[in-house]
Amino acid sequence: MSAAPSSGTPTTYPHVISVLCLNHGLNSASEPKGKMFTSGLFRFCSSCLQVIVDTPTSPVTSGLPLFFVITVTAIKQGYEDWLRHRADNEVNKSNVFVIENAKQVQKESEKIKVGDIVEVKADETFPCDLIFLASSSTDGTCYVTTASLDGESNFKVMEMDGQHVTKAGACAECVCVMINWRMLLQHPSPRPQLYLTSPPSVCSSSESAAKSLGPENLLLKGATLKNTKKIYGVAVYTGMETKMALNYQGKSQKRSAVEKSINAFLIVYLCILLSKATVCTTLKYVWQSNPFNDEPWYNEKTKKERETFKVLRMFTDFLSFMVLFNFIIPVSMYVTVEMQKFLGSFFISWDKEMYDEEIKEGALVNTSDLNEELGQVEFVFTDKTGTLTENSMEFIECCIDGHKYKDCISEVDGFSQTDGPLKYYGKAEKSREELFLRALCLCHTVRIKQADQVDGLIGHPECKNTYISSSPDEIALVKGAEKYGFTFLGLENDFMKIRNQKNETEMYQLLHTLNFDPVRRRMSVIVRTTTGKLLLFCKGADSSIFPRVQQEEIQQTKVHVDRNAMDGYRTLCVAFKELTQKEYDRIDRQLNEAKMALQDREEKMAKVFEDTEADMHLIGATAVEDRLQEQSAETIEALHAAGMKVWVLTGDKMETAKSTCYACRLFQTSTELLELTARVVGESERKEDRLHELLMDYHKRLIQDVPKPRGSLKRSWTLSQEYGLIIDGSTLSLILNPSQDSSSSHYKSIFLQICLKCTAVLCCRMAPLQKAQVFPLYSPLTEASGPCALTCGLSDHWGMWIEGKQINFSDNAMLQWRPFLYWTFLGAFEGLVFFFGVYFLFHNSSLEDNGKVFGNWTFGTIVFTVLVFTVTLKLALDTRFWTWMNHFVIWGSLAFYVFFSFFWGGVIWPFLKQQRMYFVFAHMLTSVSTWLAIILLIFISLFPEILLIVLKSIKERSHQSSRKAPKSVSSRPSVTPLLLRTFSDESNVL
Amino acid sequence: MAVNYSAKEEADGHPAGGGPGGGAAAGGGGAVKTRKPDNTAFKQQRLPAWQPILTAGTVLPAFFIIGLIFIPIGIGIFVTSNNIREYEIDYTGIEPSSPCNKCLNVSWDSTPPCTCTINFTLEHSFESNVFMYYGLSNFYQNHRRYVKSRDDSQLNGDNSSLLNPSKECEPYRTNEDKPIAPCGAIANSMFNDTLELYHVENDTRTAIPLIKKGIAWWTDKNVKFRNPTGDGNNLTALFQGTTKPVNWPKPVYMLDSEPDNNGFINEDFIVWMRTAALPTFRKLYRLIERKSNLQPTLQAGKYSLDITYNYPVHSFDGRKRMILSTISWMGGKNPFLGIAYITVGSICFFLGVVLLIIHHKYGNRNTSADIPN
């Protein structure tokens, strides 16, 4: 698929077009919320019906609430839209410079077309996906941070394609030349995955040599240019096709579990409404079958009524009942829920606790749709590096040929002298030491940023220079080498400069960099020394290095590596080999061929790498510490205490990850660890059987043997024994993608059941792709309530994926319906109390002390008064914290009701056509009996609620005392009461 | 220092708002300021709050107190209700033995009107003021079509509505092209039996004076119902151009001889126009005032009720009653409220006792359960 630059990809931007016009209320109500729409439409139909059908309530009565609901929703939607619009405009209308016809033209970013050459200055975000063409920096690189895309705040080095672009500092003219090359972009259709992509390839017609581009050439929209004055790039994906937009689309469909359950309840209510209308219509005709009920002499039908066709009359009667009862559909509830969420989002952003002093930023709420879901999170998936840990590495120690070198050897004294016998662990040969340190200095992709070139301090670059790398490990290693006397001075025209211990500068020509990738877990460089020796240095994870070095060298280093891993350090092994010119030529040719390949490039590259990085000599190993984030232990504890299950996904060694997990209290000393790793499963052919055995064993231990705790609906902290699961990538893939053997296909469900019982799960040695696989693993369970993975930057350090999920087993679904049924039945009970209470009271309608009688309007008013008071007081009973606002709203509502009733019955009457309610309310209040009846009926209606609260409080007290006991025994030390408030806030309803 | 560097830079000169955060999905959070959130009680959700703790300890006494309040109230109401004297006669004449049986199938325009007399005996004397009601059964004054069938503007004396009544009055809006005053089904079906009460002593019948004023709501009589206004006070002239309701024997301006009880402000009419809530209802008909402190209003003895039987109820299986009743502070006789209060109070009290026992049991178990655990 080849597309010339001119082929205009639509430049529409992720722009939610919705209500722009507030007064067009209906439009807005029907726009975003499905059910809101349904019920709104329903209500609308009802009020329309009322115009047509002869109904007991006026169109105004049911139209007015709808109008209110729509207005409020429209205002809210309009406001959120305006905000979104503003944000869109900020992005879409921001000005960018585009090179057109050898001139620099200012354009709005939404007007960028595919093929445009775009100029981006430092600290600007890329307006679309660009292919990096030219940079102002001399080495043809630029640095970007993708913090807003994936939360990784480190700088990534982007390279331009060196063969096609002049490196002589980008200027507009140079770039213009490039346009004339008529580059043909051969690019695959856009895919949402940020990194799992084969980027487009460029071929310039003038040279007719195809050139493939890698992810390092693609600048993603949303990323920010750093430390580079300006760059030029050609737009490849714009608008909706950018990676960012493709990722964004999936997230717009978020729906909370509450909304979903409301939907289900709505259907039930609709059924109730329909059956009610049907029953009432039937009863009406049964009653009317008696002629003196149908049309007694005192109440004759109108001519129209008499003439209407009977079936039609029945139908309109049915509709009339629908209209009469349509208030069972709680339209206003949607508005209440919406507004609640909307205002709740403000409280999230206002939260002082969420404010980060360092970056001066509070919580940012991207959508108010899922607020309440945050409180129902049960699984937290977190990355280890950069999330649990700071991702700022520190070189701790190294071992060379099995000799351990640790800590501060002062730079001045050099490597050979140590501070004391304690720090001295034996020494390797001097040449080996130097080789190791040179390897550390050379085998990396670290670049040097000259921080301050104006100051004229270039003479002492080591003071001012900053290392920049996509991996903090490399920086730590380079710094570690510096500590031992070998300083990396930078890359100049393909020559790497190193200052050695004797303060001499050594130059190495960098021939090839075999970049790090998570599958290989290693990287290599091929350099030529000044003496012409060709050296390959390789560093990587022990598991990927050990098989590629001489077997007899491993043992001594392995001891160190294992011990370091146990201490929670990240370990890397360093190996080298010398290449002959012949060998090098072959490798060089193969590499170039593979790089040019348009098909299966990854596979070909991998094969070359595999061949190249073989038969090496192990020199040593390094240990780098990745310190835990501040308070990560407290946070994990708080998450655990809140009953959440934490999954840590990491690519690290099991030992490293495990010790980190202990350090951050993911695992307690009391936690029983279940292992599903290559170590226990073994590598043999029978590993599937072994896995099966293990799974069954764990399953038995966790699920079958554990007696169901009495309060099985309570969250898991009541369990005394906690389980943790450790699984590694290879075993996980065994479970997820079992071989053809059909018996193993149910591993997945067993595994899931085990996972659900574990408070913590550690997945180590995970490839990035596997990390992504873990989420869909849960979708069968989350489907009931909707999988909603939301990426939220809780604070600057805590980027984590939260799998929001409310219910995991079908029996919990009942739990969801219980409050609903409870409320519905309570409502029915109250309705009966209201009506029949007043009905019996009106058996003698002379309720005043002057013998005068009350009529039907007083009857209704009493019922309604009781209703309003009951509902408001019920609300008061359910109110947990009484602030002045609660007092104001609740007592204010009641006062307003009384005031309004007086007003409606007294003051307003000359303005109304019908004076049915004239003085009815005031009259009602003159009767002592009415007062007594109202009080009694309110009390009877609230009685079940009160009784329930009392029973619950009695129950709770007994629970509390039984719960207290295991809690105090539990090994969990009390943590900062981050979530203490949540504990006490259990739902009021059973 | 790569990582530190980025943090430092952001802290220095670039407010984060312009940075990577300003993506396309600002949503509701657009209002977020980059500055520190205000430390106000409201924004931090730390408003001083009172948390009612409904524990068994606080609610159980409440149960007892409610029980102790409700039961006496109930007893009080019940006793009061029982002390009310009430006498009720069904004069529909369904039974052939009834004197009114002859009038059972009376129609609206039967002339001369059918009259009948029913004798009855009061066993107990009625001490205080006595209220005379008429009661109807199976009469749906609360029927939707019926309730709506009136024109309040017309009844309020609005001249345009007088001659052009509301459509709601159909089919009782016009008769022979003349607007009906008062229009509608309610007015049309106004109760028009005449009841007269005699005390029979030694075969002499003494008429008991029945007061026909003060039976309607004051606001109805003085505000809501008004006669049409115009030149002079001659109601006949004011109702010119209208016709009487179909079922009425005479027009509205001839309902009573007294001018302040005639036309729309006739109290019998007003009482009828206040539609009843239930199909079996009573409406106030006359007052019998106590004359002196020495004599009861109605002493025990023989009475006779003279009925001018105009109102047909047999066609819809209805009943007509005459009710004599005294009134207490709580209105007429109605045992419901008293019984309900006593019942609820007793349940409260009973539950209080039960819960107290449960509470004690649980409390004991709690203290003992703490030790082995």
Side-chain angles (χ1 to χ4, degrees):
Chain A
M1 186 192 77
S2 152
S6 56
S7 84
T9 310
T11 52
T12 35
Y13 272 71
H15 184 158
V16 188
I17 299 156
S18 52
V19 212
L20 301 172
C21 158
L22 287 184
N23 23 9
H24 207 275
L26 259 184
N27 191 4
S28 91
S30 61
E31 183 251 329
K33 311 285 166 215
K35 315 116 274 99
M36 176 63 218
F37 169 63
T38 330
S39 54
L41 184 76
F42 175 77
R43 219 15 120 61
F44 178 72
C45 290
S46 313
S47 26
C48 286
L49 267 176
Q50 277 167 319
V51 183
I52 311 159
V53 183
D54 172 41
T55 60
T57 53
S58 72
V60 177
T61 318
S62 58
L64 205 66
L66 179 70
F67 178 75
F68 173 76
V69 160
I70 287 173
T71 315
V72 171
T73 321
I75 290 171
K76 186 221 152 186
Q77 293 293 343
Y79 175 69
E80 287 205 334
D81 242 49
W82 175 73
L83 288 176
R84 223 172 289 147
H85 207 74
R86 205 179 53 174
D88 283 354
N89 272 350
E90 229 166 69
V91 178
N92 293 347
K93 304 277 184 212
S94 64
N95 287 321
V96 290
F97 290 101
V98 172
I99 313 297
E100 257 175 23
N101 300 326
K103 271 187 216 136
Q104 206 177 29
V105 182
Q106 200 172 10
K107 252 194 187 181
E108 283 175 358
S109 65
E110 66 179 342
K111 290 189 179 139
I112 297 173
K113 287 198 297 287
V114 171
D116 280 354
I117 308 275
V118 182
E119 180 190 301
V120 183
K121 294 202 179 72
D123 298 321
E124 281 179 359
T125 51
F126 300 112
C128 57
D129 290 355
L130 298 170
I131 287 189
F132 186 23
L133 289 178
S135 160
S136 65
S137 74
T138 46
D139 55 353
T141 56
C142 73
Y143 303 96
V144 299
T145 171
T146 51
S148 59
L149 292 178
D150 56 9
E152 286 181 26
S153 59
N154 53 5
F155 292 172
K156 291 188 174 61
V157 183
M158 292 297 178
E159 284 169 357
M160 62 180 161
D161 172 20
Q163 291 185 349
H164 290 88
V165 180
T166 51
K167 291 174 189 171
C171 59
E173 290 87 57
C174 308
V175 178
C176 297
V177 178
M178 298 186 307
I179 304 166
N180 297 330
W181 290 358
R182 281 206 202 138
M183 283 186 297
L184 290 173
L185 288 174
Q186 197 173 9
H187 60 99
S189 53
R191 272 188 286 165
Q193 287 90 346
L194 275 183
Y195 302 113
L196 311 169
T197 173
S198 8
S201 5
V202 174
C203 62
S204 71
S205 56
S206 58
E207 290 176 32
S208 73
K211 165 76 186 169
S212 321
L213 302 170
E216 71 275 6
N217 302 115
L218 190 67
L219 306 169
L220 297 174
K221 178 185 176 170
T224 313
L225 183 68
K226 291 280 179 190
N227 297 336
T228 316
K229 265 193 181 163
K230 61 180 173 184
I231 60 114
Y232 289 95
V234 59
V236 278
Y237 300 121
T238 58
M240 293 307 288
E241 288 191 335
T242 58
K243 304 252 175 253
M244 188 182 165
L246 290 171
N247 275 291
Y248 178 66
Q249 277 175 328
K251 285 173 192 159
S252 58
Q253 303 291 327
K254 282 172 190 165
R255 264 203 198 169
S256 72
V258 168
E259 273 180 52
K260 277 185 183 150
S261 52
I262 286 179
N263 238 359
F265 301 153
L266 185 79
I267 289 164
V268 174
Y269 277 134
L270 253 169
C271 293
I272 293 176
L273 174 67
L274 284 174
S275 48
K276 242 170 110 174
T278 315
V279 168
C280 285
T281 315
T282 317
L283 287 178
K284 183 188 168 182
Y285 281 90
V286 168
W287 186 76
Q288 278 186 355
S289 63
N290 197 333
F292 55 73
N293 279 336
D294 185 28
E295 197 177 4
W297 60 261
Y298 57 84
N299 191 11
E300 279 168 17
K301 290 178 183 173
T302 57
K303 217 170 143 197
K304 207 178 102 196
E305 273 178 304
R306 228 172 278 163
E307 278 165 3
T308 330
F309 200 49
K310 185 157 186 187
V311 181
L312 188 71
R313 217 163 53 214
M314 280 171 100
F315 181 66
T316 53
D317 279 335
F318 176 76
L319 291 180
S320 295
F321 278 114
M322 292 274 283
V323 170
L324 183 63
F325 298 135
N326 80 72
F327 285 91
I328 198 173
I329 307 289
V331 172
S332 69
M333 192 172 72
Y334 291 109
V335 188
T336 317
V337 170
E338 287 287 308
M339 290 308 287
Q340 161 73 39
K341 286 177 174 179
F342 179 60
L343 297 177
S345 69
F346 279 103
F347 279 105
I348 293 176
S349 54
W350 282 338
D351 199 338
K352 202 162 51 97
E353 307 273 312
M354 302 276 263
Y355 180 75
D356 191 83
E357 293 285 354
E358 229 170 87
I359 60 163
K360 301 210 183 321
E361 211 172 331
L364 179 80
V365 184
N366 278 333
T367 169
S368 61
D369 287 351
L370 293 174
N371 286 352
E372 80 280 14
E373 211 83 341
L374 283 175
Q376 292 163 344
V377 169
E378 236 178 279
F379 292 89
V380 177
F381 292 83
T382 164
D383 209 1
K384 189 177 84 78
T385 310
T387 307
L388 289 179
T389 59
E390 281 181 343
N391 202 13
S392 69
M393 309 294 172
E394 202 175 321
F395 184 85
I396 296 296
E397 62 176 52
C398 60
C399 103
I400 303 165
D401 280 349
H403 300 284
K404 186 174 171 185
Y405 290 83
K406 187 166 180 170
D407 244 348
C408 39
I409 297 149
S410 69
E411 268 177 68
V412 188
D413 290 347
F415 195 50
S416 50
Q417 283 177 318
T418 55
D419 275 1
L422 275 175
K423 299 268 162 62
Y424 185 76
Y425 300 98
K427 257 172 73 177
E429 285 171 50
K430 183 87 178 165
S431 63
R432 297 289 283 181
E433 280 174 20
E434 287 180 354
L435 183 66
F436 178 78
L437 293 171
R438 282 192 185 104
L440 290 189
C441 277
L442 294 172
C443 183
H444 55 71
T445 55
V446 174
R447 296 291 176 267
I448 283 183
K449 197 223 168 206
Q450 264 125 34
D452 210 344
Q453 288 154 326
V454 200
D455 274 7
L457 287 166
I458 310 158
H460 307 279
E462 76 274 17
C463 310
K464 277 285 164 188
N465 286 1
T466 318
Y467 296 119
I468 292 170
S469 166
S470 54
S471 153
D473 293 76
E474 295 195 320
I475 295 170
L477 292 180
V478 172
K479 280 189 184 156
E482 191 179 334
K483 249 198 277 187
Y484 291 116
F486 277 79
T487 314
F488 173 62
L489 292 179
L491 182 70
E492 231 169 66
N493 298 331
D494 279 352
F495 280 94
M496 291 177 103
K497 285 196 293 183
I498 290 176
R499 192 172 56 217
N500 66 11
Q501 286 163 323
K502 295 167 196 133
N503 243 338
E504 296 161 353
T505 306
E506 298 172 14
M507 302 279 270
Y508 295 89
Q509 190 187 0
L510 179 63
L511 298 168
H512 276 291
T513 308
L514 283 60
N515 273 336
F516 178 83
D517 70 62
V519 182
R520 260 163 64 239
R521 298 172 174 283
R522 58 181 184 268
M523 67 140 326
S524 310
V525 288
I526 301 173
V527 294
R528 194 200 304 270
T529 61
T530 38
T531 53
K533 266 206 290 186
L534 287 160
L535 291 172
L536 178 139
F537 291 109
C538 177
K539 73 171 196 289
D542 51 1
S543 62
S544 57
I545 295 285
F546 285 163
R548 286 176 183 75
V549 296
Q550 311 298 332
Q551 289 309 301
E552 65 275 9
E553 293 165 347
I554 295 174
Q555 202 44 52
Q556 38 186 342
T557 310
K558 196 174 189 306
V559 181
H560 286 277
V561 170
D562 287 349
R563 205 185 47 233
N564 286 335
M566 296 285 270
D567 292 340
Y569 301 137
R570 294 157 73 93
T571 54
L572 284 175
C573 293
V574 182
F576 92 107
K577 82 170 172 187
E578 236 183 289
L579 300 169
T580 60
Q581 185 63 42
K582 217 166 145 195
E583 276 174 319
Y584 172 71
D585 288 344
R586 186 176 48 82
I587 290 166
D588 186 45
R589 200 183 59 243
Q590 282 175 345
L591 276 174
N592 284 334
E593 261 171 34
K595 273 185 192 168
M596 286 327 256
L598 281 176
Q599 273 154 3
D600 305 328
R601 194 187 325 158
E602 279 91 1
E603 286 83 353
K604 284 178 185 161
M605 296 283 274
K607 187 157 184 313
V608 180
F609 289 165
E610 185 75 28
D611 294 344
T612 312
E613 294 161 334
D615 300 323
M616 298 180 292
H617 301 278
L618 187 68
I619 329 172
T622 59
V624 168
E625 188 184 13
D626 187 6
R627 265 181 309 169
L628 284 179
Q629 294 261 17
E630 251 179 84
Q631 294 197 318
S632 62
E634 283 85 346
T635 315
I636 294 276
E637 287 232 308
L639 290 177
H640 267 165
M644 288 182 220
K645 287 159 185 156
V646 183
W647 286 52
V648 173
L649 313 173
T650 176
D652 282 359
K653 262 173 85 79
M654 187 192 110
E655 286 78 10
T656 313
K658 202 163 133 187
S659 70
T660 312
C661 287
Y662 273 113
C664 67
R665 300 204 188 226
L666 187 71
F667 297 144
Q668 306 281 318
T669 39
S670 64
T671 309
E672 200 180 322
L673 292 183
L674 311 173
E675 255 185 59
L676 277 175
T677 56
R679 204 175 65 187
V680 287
V681 174
E683 291 290 343
S684 68
E685 282 165 26
R686 290 191 66 250
K687 62 183 174 184
E688 291 221 351
D689 299 332
R690 175 82 185 116
L691 177 70
H692 180 77
E693 230 169 82
L694 277 169
L695 278 173
M696 289 327 259
D697 177 41
Y698 293 156
H699 187 258
K700 205 172 141 209
R701 258 159 76 188
L702 264 71
I703 290 145
Q704 290 159 4
D705 287 1
V706 174
K708 265 208 159 182
R710 197 155 49 96
S712 60
L713 304 170
K714 293 272 182 278
R715 287 216 170 177
S716 56
W717 71 72
T718 42
L719 289 171
S720 49
Q721 178 61 54
E722 284 170 354
Y723 290 96
L725 182 76
I726 302 174
I727 186 159
D728 64 1
S730 57
T731 319
L732 187 70
S733 65
L734 206 62
I735 290 169
L736 295 183
N737 319 309
S739 53
Q740 308 84 355
D741 193 1
S742 59
S743 72
S744 53
S745 58
H746 67 289
Y747 285 173
K748 211 165 166 179
S749 68
I750 296 175
F751 173 65
L752 279 180
Q753 285 177 29
I754 293 171
C755 289
L756 287 174
K757 289 281 169 192
C758 293
T759 50
V761 177
L762 168 63
C763 304
C764 46
R765 284 267 180 254
M766 298 275 281
L769 198 62
Q770 278 183 312
K771 289 186 189 176
Q773 273 180 340
V774 176
F775 296 108
L777 196 67
Y778 267 82
S779 53
L781 295 174
T782 52
E783 222 153 47
S785 64
C788 40
L790 53 142
T791 324
C792 68
L794 284 175
S795 76
D796 66 331
H797 298 308
W798 275 86
M800 53 168 71
W801 285 268
I802 293 179
E803 181 82 345
K805 151 173 191 344
Q806 194 186 22
I807 48 170
N808 40 3
F809 291 121
S810 53
D811 57 72
N812 281 18
M814 277 311 293
L815 196 68
Q816 203 186 5
W817 283 92
R818 267 172 68 181
F820 169 73
L821 290 175
Y822 166 76
W823 283 95
T824 309
F825 280 112
L826 201 65
F829 164 75
E830 279 159 9
L832 292 175
V833 168
F834 299 158
F835 179 79
F836 284 103
V838 186
Y839 176 84
F840 287 123
L841 183 75
F842 264 61
H843 261 233
N844 186 344
S845 55
S846 78
L847 292 164
E848 286 184 275
D849 58 358
N850 54 15
K852 293 173 189 175
V853 291
F854 285 148
N856 60 329
W857 303 112
T858 313
F859 187 98
T861 308
I862 297 174
V863 170
F864 195 69
T865 307
V866 175
L867 171 87
V868 169
F869 273 78
T870 305
V871 168
T872 315
L873 291 176
K874 227 167 125 91
L875 213 63
L877 276 179
D878 283 338
T879 304
R880 207 162 267 278
F881 295 99
W882 284 84
T883 65
W884 64 265
M885 276 186 280
N886 297 78
H887 284 292
F888 177 75
V889 170
I890 286 179
W891 311 127
S893 299
L894 294 180
F896 180 75
Y897 169 72
V898 174
F899 167 78
F900 183 78
S901 302
F902 274 116
F903 174 79
W904 188 254
V907 181
I908 205 171
W909 76 276
F911 309 104
L912 297 175
K913 200 154 188 290
Q914 287 166 322
Q915 282 100 42
R916 300 162 165 175
M917 302 308 292
Y918 181 66
F919 250 73
V920 164
F921 189 75
H923 241 279
M924 181 189 89
L925 293 184
T926 60
S927 159
V928 183
S929 296
T930 318
W931 279 87
L932 288 171
I934 288 174
I935 291 167
L936 181 77
L937 293 180
I938 292 171
F939 182 75
I940 295 175
S941 308
L942 292 175
F943 195 67
E945 187 91 2
I946 296 171
L947 200 64
L948 210 76
I949 291 173
V950 176
L951 286 176
K952 252 191 80 182
S953 80
I954 289 174
K955 232 194 214 168
E956 236 164 51
R957 285 189 83 200
S958 69
H959 267 287
Q960 261 170 16
S961 53
S962 59
R963 201 189 294 161
K964 234 178 249 162
K967 235 186 165 181
S968 57
V969 176
S970 158
S971 59
R972 288 201 181 285
S974 59
V975 288
T976 5
L978 273 177
L979 294 157
L980 220 59
R981 264 186 298 171
T982 327
F983 289 165
S984 56
D985 267 11
E986 279 170 62
S987 163
N988 200 15
V989 186
L990 270 181
Chain B
M1 282 286 141
V3 173
N4 285 351
Y5 176 79
S6 73
K8 219 187 287 167
E9 189 198 48
E10 294 226 346
D12 282 342
H14 305 278
V32 179
K33 305 287 183 299
T34 44
R35 59 188 173 77
K36 193 175 168 130
D38 297 342
N39 190 12
T40 54
F42 173 71
K43 284 194 175 178
Q44 299 308 321
Q45 301 184 57
R46 290 198 213 297
L47 284 174
W50 169 68
Q51 188 180 8
I53 303 158
L54 288 168
T55 59
T58 55
V59 177
L60 287 182
F63 269 41
F64 286 119
I65 291 168
I66 287 167
L68 287 177
I69 293 170
F70 273 24
I71 293 171
I73 290 177
I75 292 169
I77 297 169
F78 191 68
V79 169
T80 314
S81 173
N82 273 357
N83 285 340
I84 291 171
R85 295 259 181 272
E86 197 175 275
Y87 188 84
E88 199 174 303
I89 308 171
D90 187 321
Y91 69 90
T92 324
I94 297 290
E95 304 85 24
S97 59
S98 164
C100 288
N101 186 250
K102 56 176 178 178
C103 302
L104 191 57
N105 291 315
V106 79
S107 68
W108 279 100
D109 41 11
S110 51
T111 42
C114 180
T115 56
C116 55
T117 303
I118 292 176
N119 296 312
F120 62 95
T121 311
L122 291 182
E123 313 251 318
H124 305 280
S125 61
F126 284 48
E127 298 289 336
S128 54
N129 289 344
V130 176
F131 296 76
M132 188 182 192
Y133 299 88
Y134 59 88
L136 293 175
S137 294
N138 210 21
F139 190 101
Y140 287 86
Q141 250 203 329
N142 56 1
H143 194 286
R144 191 160 56 85
R145 198 163 59 219
Y146 186 85
V147 168
K148 285 199 296 185
S149 188
R150 65 192 284 161
D151 186 345
D152 280 336
S153 313
Q154 192 193 44
L155 297 173
N156 195 38
D158 186 82
N159 283 325
S160 63
S161 297
L162 182 71
L163 297 173
N164 185 19
S166 157
K167 277 204 189 71
E168 302 277 12
C169 287
E170 289 287 1
Y172 304 99
R173 185 166 166 266
T174 53
N175 188 24
E176 290 160 358
D177 290 335
K178 274 187 166 180
I180 295 174
C183 76
I186 312 176
N188 184 60
S189 58
M190 184 182 156
F191 182 77
N192 60 354
D193 280 2
T194 314
L195 306 174
E196 282 161 14
L197 195 60
Y198 295 92
H199 183 217
V200 182
E201 212 170 13
N202 307 324
D203 289 342
T204 51
R205 289 174 21 126
T206 328
I208 292 168
L210 303 174
I211 301 161
K212 56 188 172 188
K213 284 202 229 166
I215 55 173
W217 289 16
W218 188 91
T219 46
D220 284 0
K221 166 95 180 170
N222 293 289
V223 185
K224 196 173 166 184
F225 288 80
R226 300 279 80 192
N227 277 323
T229 47
D231 306 328
N233 290 324
N234 189 354
L235 282 181
T236 319
L238 290 171
F239 281 100
Q240 192 72 49
T242 64
T243 183
K244 68 173 179 65
V246 187
N247 287 353
W248 286 20
K250 49 195 175 185
V252 69
Y253 46 85
M254 288 165 73
L255 281 176
D256 200 272
S257 52
E258 290 178 52
D260 65 340
N261 196 27
N262 200 5
F264 289 153
I265 56 171
N266 176 273
E267 291 203 22
D268 283 328
F269 174 66
I270 294 172
V271 165
W272 181 256
M273 292 304 284
R274 183 152 292 281
T275 48
L278 304 170
T280 299
F281 60 89
R282 62 172 69 174
K283 285 188 185 291
L284 191 53
Y285 185 65
R286 294 289 181 264
L287 309 176
I288 306 166
E289 271 185 354
R290 187 171 182 173
K291 284 282 156 47
S292 64
N293 290 334
L294 302 170
Q295 266 194 322
T297 322
L298 295 176
Q299 36 191 212
K302 285 186 178 167
Y303 290 85
S304 75
L305 179 70
D306 276 14
I307 302 141
T308 314
Y309 201 120
N310 291 321
Y311 204 72
V313 293
H314 189 59
S315 66
F316 56 86
D317 203 18
R319 291 283 186 284
K320 295 198 282 192
R321 289 161 297 147
M322 190 281 303
I323 303 137
L324 293 170
S325 171
T326 59
I327 286 291
S328 71
W329 52 268
M330 55 159 287
K333 196 182 188 98
N334 189 356
F336 162 73
L337 209 52
I339 292 171
Y341 260 94
I342 293 170
T343 315
V344 173
S346 310
I347 289 172
C348 250
F349 198 81
F350 172 74
L351 274 173
V353 172
V354 170
L355 289 175
L356 194 71
I357 292 165
I358 294 172
H359 179 56
H360 260 272
K361 259 190 170 178
Y362 265 106
N364 289 342
R365 203 190 290 170
N366 286 350
T367 46
S368 61
D370 275 345
I371 303 158
N373 274 348

